[in-house]
Amino acid sequence: MVNKILLCFLLVFSFQTLKAEEGLTTKIYVSTNGSDLAEGTQKQPLASLNMALRKARELRRLRDKNIKNGIYIILKDGNYHLEEAVFIRPEDSGTAESPTVVQAENTGKAILNGGVNIKNWKKAGAINGLKPGTVWVADAATKAGEILNYRQLWVNGQKAVRAKSTSGSEMERILSWDKKEQTCWIPFKDKSVKFEPGMEMFIQQWWAIANLRIKKMDIQGDSAKLFFEQPESRIQSEHPWPAPWISKKTGNSPFQLNNALCLLNEPGEWYLDRQKGKIYYYPRAGEQMNRAQVVAPVLENLLQITGTTDGPVQHIRIEGLAFQYSNWLRPSQQGHVPLQAGMYLLDAYKLKIPGTPDKAGLENQAWIGRPQSAVSVNYANNITFEGCNFQHLSSTGLDLHRGTNNNTIKGNLFKDIGGSGINIGVFSEEAFETHLPYQPKDVRELCQNELITDNLITDVTNEDWGTVGISAGFVKNITIAHNEISDVSYTGIGLGWGWTKSINAMSNNKVLANKIHHYGKHLYDVAAIYTLSAQPGSLIADNYIDSIYLNPYAHDPFHWFYLYTDEGSSYFTVKNNWVPAEKFLQNANGPGNVWTNNSAFVNDSVKANAGIRKPFQYLVKERFVDRTWPLQEVPHFAAVELLGADLDVAKIKSIAIANGVIEPQFYQWKNHLVLYGKLNRIQSLEKDLAEAFPAVKMKTYSRPVYNFQRNINCKDAVVAPEWEHVLLTANLVDDEKMQSEYLEYHRTQFEKWPEVAQGFCNADFQQLQVFKNGRQLLLVISIPKGKTLDELNPKTTENNPRVDDWNKIMSQYQTGIEGTKPGESWVFLKKLD
């Protein structure tokens, strides 16, 4: 009898298998119009992926001969509304010869949807003084009689904005923070705002944000005192890093209140009233609510691939699926106070007596949790995600958390995500103090030998601004290569955890040929690529980095970088990365770091080869860049001249560094002191210097009137990695007509006097710039380090008489500045040590 039953069972499965021409392959079909009682053929598809996985699991258990070359689960186009997360177990594992492949019939058209549609919208009455019908209302979605909770809403695929206290992207600034009382004072001039249960405070602090549930509000005149729910009230006030920012110079931490009906007053805003079971929305222009698709997220997790240390999931390929509309509720339940990269604090406080066995100066302790993800992978090997679409997600997109090996994330789109696009590796454990070196005895706990390549990660981190495009914790032998990352609120790629120079689990990690641009939108202490802790054998090379956003509420407007090796970073090689300027930070690094050839003069092939390659370049059309948001000015060579005696050079240098001047250098002639280096926002530097030295006359030289660049003006030129700068100054003659002629000569020199530029090329000049302020000229000649102007300058005229002609003509326009000898024009400024 048992054999007969088994035979019948196998016969049923034989109808679900197709013999491919190249061998024995099983195909199981799934459709939104299918039935889980069907056979799973193309004509009689199943209704759910979970049932398809069950059928595949049974085929493997019974060792069906028709799965020799693999099992293909094919999802037809459509929205698969999930009641529970899809779960892939060790029993679902394939083999190298017979993988289990879950694929969309058409890339991106099969959607695993964790949301619910909100329908039957009607015009509401007058809300917050708005005309009746301006705001629309619908019944809140329910499940098992309970009102569903969520923090995000999408209308026609566009993320709506939780009703808030400020207009557009504006924020207000806190007045003060009382750590002992765990309260905050804020300005409160809009008396239409009333405290409502569920109201929250969103606050920006250094490199992180916090979501704090407001317990009560004490209004006193034009100010209000906020009290918060636990546990976030205690954690927010006790943890020292990052704390609320208080600064007269750059402003206190910005904030906004949100999640109250009284705050709903702008198009695109929404509010969920769970007590009354209603949801309100103020439509944007062109949105027709009787036709709009409005989706609220329900499930926090859409797909779990989970094995065990001894029984990992293996040889699964996920191809072309879309994962959309995941939820994340922890901030609504316990608040959200992150330490960094979105890892939230479970407990944190300042040590009365600093120091731990690993770090003598450590003053804080912290234990962290990890945000939810739409797709999570644990204890799984040889898993591939290829050509998938991660979009409209509330927290992390894809998370390879623990015990994952030899997995590939290739050619996927990560877009419109509240948290990080990709998290990978352990970021400490909940019971493990986060500043300790992580080195598990069982190396199978590590994420290692992973490949993350050719993905587009764009418009992520749009809910928790402190999260990261790709964020890697304690990982080993991973390669992050040829990805493009744009429009992130903080860092593009973060690699490492622990803040420790001690040898730990991390080693041999590679960040190669990525294209990272338009980052740092909301938070600074930031870089396109950021590292932490010792990582022997690790390499950061051939990346193309450009365009950082201008952050309107930065705690320090100059504390942004292109590359940033932070605390404990050790044993890295950083080379051949294209950056607009050498704005880097190496903060409290350990030993063994090597930096080579990172600049705007790196070979053009680096720019050409970085980013997404074929066959995934079609993803680039999905790139998002916020064209309404301003960019930081690229740091460029400029100078500030101070006229005075006995100037405090050390103080001037300190002010320069605080204003982000790259490699500030000082040159002097008599009472003329010139600060020279690469900087942006020279007005800020000028302002701070004027405040520090009010009696000193000052001139700035910001933009050159003539700009020779070896890499541009010399054919097949090689640019020296390090430069010396020679500074000279003179005046133009006191004749406006002749001054105009001088400028015109320089404007047309490359066309009409090409021999002059060729002379500079022959002399190995790296750069020659002429700045002008009024009549005064500042000439800067940049030459290879170790060379002198005396040995190079004669080469400008060798076999080149037109340069002599040029110099004779120019001499009639130049005269000496005050204090020069008769007949003397250009004077050299001496470099100060």
Side-chain angles (χ1 to χ4, degrees):
M1 175 67 71
V2 172
N3 288 338
K4 287 184 179 180
I5 293 173
L6 180 59
L7 179 61
C8 290
F9 188 85
L10 289 173
L11 285 173
V12 169
F13 272 98
S14 71
F15 287 112
Q16 301 165 23
T17 63
L18 296 174
K19 296 182 180 180
E21 292 181 4
E22 68 275 11
L24 298 170
T25 303
T26 294
K27 293 184 180 180
I28 302 172
Y29 287 87
V30 184
S31 170
T32 55
N33 298 319
S35 167
D36 278 348
L37 299 177
E39 294 179 349
T41 64
Q42 189 167 15
K43 292 184 178 179
Q44 298 182 34
L46 299 168
S48 71
L49 177 52
N50 271 331
M51 181 56 73
L53 287 164
R54 181 191 296 186
K55 288 186 178 292
R57 191 179 309 137
E58 288 301 300
L59 287 172
R60 293 202 179 278
R61 182 177 68 85
L62 298 171
R63 299 181 180 177
D64 190 289
K65 65 180 182 180
N66 293 305
I67 65 170
K68 180 181 178 181
N69 293 328
I71 301 174
Y72 286 74
I73 299 172
I74 300 169
L75 278 70
K76 293 179 176 291
D77 297 358
N79 253 296
Y80 294 84
H81 289 275
L82 303 178
E83 296 292 332
E84 60 180 341
V86 175
F87 200 111
I88 296 180
R89 302 169 168 84
E91 291 79 10
D92 299 319
S93 295
T95 65
E97 298 76 20
S98 175
T100 295
V101 182
V102 182
Q103 64 180 197
E105 189 171 50
N106 296 293
T107 298
K109 297 295 181 65
I111 302 168
L112 298 186
N113 188 324
V116 61
N117 291 334
I118 309 293
K119 301 179 179 179
N120 301 318
W121 289 87
K122 299 178 181 178
K123 292 182 178 181
I127 301 284
N128 299 332
L130 299 170
K131 291 172 59 176
T134 301
V135 174
W136 289 62
V137 63
D139 290 332
T142 62
K143 187 172 184 178
E146 295 284 334
I147 301 292
L148 294 173
N149 196 13
Y150 38 89
R151 302 174 60 82
Q152 296 80 22
L153 189 76
W154 283 268
V155 180
N156 296 331
Q158 185 176 1
K159 193 172 187 178
V161 179
R162 227 173 177 208
K164 56 185 177 59
S165 59
T166 55
S167 176
S169 60
E170 294 178 1
M171 300 180 77
E172 294 185 277
R173 294 188 182 272
I174 66 171
L175 300 175
S176 64
W177 198 283
D178 188 324
K179 294 183 178 181
K180 185 176 181 179
E181 196 179 44
Q182 300 178 12
T183 58
C184 173
W185 281 98
I186 63 171
F188 199 82
K189 297 179 181 179
D190 186 353
K191 304 309 178 185
S192 68
V193 175
K194 308 292 183 184
F195 172 71
E196 298 178 24
M199 182 182 282
E200 296 181 9
M201 179 187 199
F202 177 94
I203 182 171
Q204 173 185 324
Q205 40 201 23
W206 300 44
W207 59 83
I209 57 94
N211 302 102
L212 308 170
R213 298 170 298 161
I214 300 173
K215 186 176 183 179
K216 68 174 182 176
M217 182 183 296
D218 182 7
I219 301 170
Q220 298 182 20
D222 287 342
S223 302
K225 187 178 185 181
L226 304 182
F227 300 78
F228 306 102
E229 300 284 359
Q230 297 292 0
E232 66 265 37
S233 179
R234 171 183 56 80
I235 293 171
Q236 167 72 358
S237 289
E238 287 193 357
H239 84 285
W241 303 101
W245 181 253
I246 305 294
S247 170
K248 290 182 179 180
K249 181 176 180 180
T250 60
N252 297 345
S253 275
F255 79 96
Q256 57 187 216
L257 307 180
N258 61 49
N259 196 41
L261 184 59
C262 65
L263 303 177
L264 188 102
N265 56 15
E266 278 193 323
E269 290 188 339
W270 67 281
Y271 171 69
L272 171 64
D273 188 336
R274 296 186 71 214
Q275 291 184 334
K276 296 181 179 179
K278 299 292 182 182
I279 181 170
Y280 298 87
Y281 179 66
Y282 187 161
R284 299 180 175 99
E287 291 176 338
Q288 300 180 27
M289 296 308 295
N290 53 354
R291 299 180 182 177
Q293 182 190 54
V294 182
V295 182
V298 179
L299 296 182
E300 292 192 308
N301 193 253
L302 309 182
L303 171 64
Q304 298 179 35
I305 301 177
T306 304
T308 65
T309 309
D310 295 321
V313 181
Q314 301 189 72
H315 296 289
I316 304 287
R317 298 209 311 260
I318 312 294
E319 299 178 351
L321 296 188
F323 302 93
Q324 297 186 5
Y325 301 113
S326 67
N327 201 4
W328 189 41
L329 289 175
R330 189 182 193 280
S332 295
Q333 298 163 346
Q334 294 179 282
H336 179 58
V337 185
L339 172 64
Q340 188 166 308
M343 304 298 155
Y344 53 82
L345 292 165
L346 299 166
D347 196 9
Y349 51 84
K350 188 171 183 176
L351 295 170
K352 291 183 179 179
I353 302 176
T356 65
D358 184 68
K359 196 169 185 179
L362 187 69
E363 65 174 0
N364 61 308
Q365 298 280 271
W367 293 262
I368 61 168
R370 189 184 191 100
Q372 276 283 6
S373 62
V375 177
S376 64
V377 183
N378 285 276
Y379 300 108
N381 306 331
N382 299 294
I383 310 298
T384 297
F385 287 87
E386 182 173 332
C388 294
N389 179 321
F390 297 80
Q391 197 165 5
H392 311 320
L393 306 174
S394 298
S395 186
T396 308
L398 172 60
D399 191 348
L400 278 65
H401 183 179
R402 181 187 291 107
T404 65
N405 291 271
N406 298 295
N407 302 302
T408 299
I409 304 168
K410 179 169 63 175
N412 304 284
L413 172 66
F414 295 85
K415 186 175 183 179
D416 184 17
I417 295 175
S420 295
I422 301 170
N423 274 345
I424 180 168
V426 168
F427 290 77
S428 307
E429 303 287 356
E430 291 191 0
F432 188 87
E433 206 284 316
T434 199
H435 300 92
L436 295 174
Y438 178 69
Q439 187 74 283
K441 291 182 179 180
D442 189 341
V443 296
R444 294 176 299 173
E445 295 284 319
L446 294 176
C447 293
Q448 52 187 326
N449 305 314
E450 317 278 32
L451 177 62
I452 302 173
T453 184
D454 294 290
N455 302 284
L456 177 63
I457 301 167
T458 188
D459 185 25
V460 300
T461 74
N462 59 30
E463 190 84 14
D464 181 345
W465 294 347
T467 50
V468 180
I470 300 175
S471 188
F474 288 99
V475 294
K476 183 176 183 178
N477 294 326
I478 73 162
T479 299
I480 302 172
H482 286 285
N483 303 283
E484 180 174 341
I485 301 173
S486 72
D487 204 77
V488 287
S489 298
Y490 180 49
T491 286
I493 296 174
L495 177 61
W497 199 251
W499 294 267
T500 175
K501 300 174 186 177
S502 300
I503 298 299
N504 56 78
M506 296 182 287
S507 65
N508 299 315
N509 298 312
K510 297 177 177 63
V511 180
L512 308 173
N514 299 282
K515 181 178 181 179
I516 305 170
H517 56 103
H518 294 86
Y519 64 98
K521 190 173 187 177
H522 295 294
L523 301 176
Y524 277 179
D525 196 21
V526 65
I529 301 173
Y530 169 93
T531 69
L532 279 171
S533 299
Q535 301 186 41
S538 293
L539 175 64
I540 299 171
D542 301 319
N543 299 284
Y544 171 26
I545 298 166
D546 201 2
S547 300
I548 181 168
Y549 283 119
L550 180 64
N551 184 333
Y553 296 104
H555 72 285
D556 181 344
F558 301 100
H559 205 66
W560 59 268
F561 308 95
Y562 296 117
L563 298 168
Y564 185 172
T565 49
D566 202 4
E567 291 193 47
S569 292
S570 311
Y571 311 109
F572 277 95
T573 297
V574 184
K575 67 178 185 179
N576 298 336
N577 297 286
W578 192 98
V579 293
E582 299 81 44
K583 189 167 172 58
F584 311 135
L585 183 61
Q586 300 169 56
N587 178 49
N589 285 184
N593 293 326
V594 178
W595 290 67
T596 307
N597 195 30
N598 303 286
S599 71
F601 307 121
V602 172
N603 193 289
D604 285 345
S605 63
V606 169
K607 295 173 72 172
N609 295 333
I612 299 169
R613 301 166 295 183
K614 294 179 180 179
F616 302 107
Q617 285 182 337
Y618 68 88
L619 289 169
V620 174
K621 69 179 186 297
E622 294 287 344
R623 175 197 298 143
F624 179 77
V625 170
D626 192 343
R627 300 296 180 187
T628 68
W629 208 275
L631 295 176
Q632 275 281 7
E633 181 183 21
V634 175
H636 57 278
F637 283 107
V640 178
E641 180 184 25
L642 298 95
L643 279 74
D646 299 323
L647 293 170
D648 188 339
V649 175
K651 185 175 181 180
I652 296 170
K653 185 175 182 179
S654 176
I655 293 171
I657 292 172
N659 278 271
V661 179
I662 301 170
E663 296 184 358
Q665 299 176 33
F666 292 89
Y667 299 80
Q668 192 168 33
W669 181 79
K670 293 187 177 180
N671 66 334
H672 295 256
L673 179 68
V674 174
L675 162 63
Y676 180 73
K678 277 190 174 180
L679 69 157
N680 65 343
R681 300 176 69 179
I682 196 170
Q683 296 84 359
S684 175
L685 173 62
E686 190 177 21
K687 176 176 176 291
D688 286 355
L689 288 173
E691 289 178 357
F693 303 95
V696 172
K697 186 178 179 182
M698 196 178 335
K699 289 183 178 181
T700 58
Y701 302 87
S702 181
R703 294 293 178 184
V705 295
Y706 174 78
N707 191 8
F708 164 84
Q709 300 287 325
R710 182 171 184 79
N711 64 311
I712 297 173
N713 302 115
C714 302
K715 185 178 180 181
D716 300 324
V718 175
V719 176
E722 296 183 88
W723 299 355
E724 301 276 7
H725 305 291
V726 180
L727 272 64
L728 304 90
T729 188
N731 269 344
L732 287 175
V733 294
D734 191 7
D735 183 310
E736 291 186 3
K737 181 176 180 294
M738 294 184 71
Q739 292 174 20
S740 297
E741 289 175 3
Y742 176 87
L743 295 175
E744 180 63 16
Y745 266 111
H746 282 79
R747 189 184 69 80
T748 61
Q749 186 217 74
F750 293 114
E751 301 170 12
K752 297 182 178 181
W753 292 78
E755 297 86 354
V756 176
Q758 186 58 52
F760 298 157
C761 294
N762 297 341
D764 205 17
F765 289 180
Q766 306 298 301
Q767 177 176 270
L768 189 147
Q769 295 181 312
V770 179
F771 297 89
K772 177 178 175 291
N773 186 317
R775 288 175 53 206
Q776 189 171 345
L777 302 174
L778 183 68
L779 170 63
V780 183
I781 304 173
S782 301
I783 60 178
K785 189 171 183 179
K787 300 288 186 178
T788 67
L789 188 60
D790 286 342
E791 66 180 294
L792 296 181
N793 195 48
K795 297 179 182 180
T796 62
T797 58
E798 283 182 4
N799 302 314
N800 198 353
R802 284 272 283 174
V803 176
D804 286 324
D805 296 339
W806 170 269
N807 290 335
K808 289 176 182 177
I809 294 171
M810 291 304 105
S811 65
Q812 65 182 315
Y813 295 101
Q814 300 156 358
T815 187
I817 64 173
E818 184 179 348
T820 56
K821 299 174 184 178
E824 187 178 20
S825 55
W826 290 102
V827 293
F828 285 83
L829 291 93
K830 181 182 177 182
K831 185 178 180 181
L832 303 182
D833 295 330

